[in-house]
Amino acid sequence: MSAPDPTYLHALAEECADLVLRQFGHRLDWSPESLSTLDEVCGDLIADGPLAEEHLDLWWRLIGAYTGEVVIRAHGGEWVEHEKSAGVPAVSALGVTGFPFGLAARVLDGEPYKSLASFVRALPAVAERTQRD
């Protein structure tokens, strides 16, 4: 397994922000709060039912990359590889490994109570609990 390419992942995240602006008129500013906007966009994307495979793959890549970049910026993390997500990048921040692409898949699948914004907001509490245990 090769190490994640942060330059490529950042470019995907930028493409996500550009596409969301063009298609939905929402500006993503790389802040944790922008993930609430992206959660809304995900809801709009799947409002009429599941996405076709090619659209699902595109949005999964873009949303996973953007979510990971927000985590990295907000919590001083980095892209990593992890055996639980073979071939799909994970993020490491605050001593915790997160899986933004897995979360993106679950959000785009319409799984109840899944939120990109909650992921980045909860990370400090998860890290604190992990360090205590």
Side-chain angles (χ1 to χ4, degrees):
M1 181 174 10
S2 62
D5 179 353
T7 303
Y8 172 70
L9 292 163
H10 182 75
L12 280 177
E14 287 181 334
E15 189 175 332
C16 180
D18 291 344
L19 192 56
V20 166
L21 181 60
R22 285 193 319 262
Q23 285 195 357
F24 296 92
H26 299 297
R27 187 172 306 280
L28 301 178
D29 65 3
W30 306 93
S31 69
E33 294 77 23
S34 70
L35 291 176
S36 293
T37 301
L38 196 51
D39 277 325
E40 291 175 23
V41 167
C42 290
D44 290 344
L45 284 168
I46 62 172
D48 294 328
L51 295 174
E53 190 172 330
E54 63 190 30
H55 284 106
L56 177 61
D57 185 58
L58 169 70
W59 281 105
W60 170 76
R61 287 178 200 277
L62 299 180
I63 291 166
Y66 184 83
T67 302
E69 284 290 318
V70 169
V71 169
I72 288 168
R73 289 176 185 217
H75 300 299
E78 64 182 337
W79 289 106
V80 297
E81 58 186 74
H82 194 277
E83 65 272 3
K84 284 187 178 179
S85 64
V88 179
V91 291
S92 177
L94 304 174
V96 175
T97 301
F99 304 94
F101 288 94
L103 177 60
R106 294 169 84 175
V107 168
L108 289 169
D109 193 37
E111 187 173 321
Y113 310 111
K114 291 300 170 197
S115 164
L116 306 167
S118 293
F119 175 67
V120 74
R121 283 193 304 260
L123 199 60
V126 171
E128 182 180 322
R129 190 178 75 210
T130 301
Q131 290 171 358
R132 280 187 303 200
D133 295 344

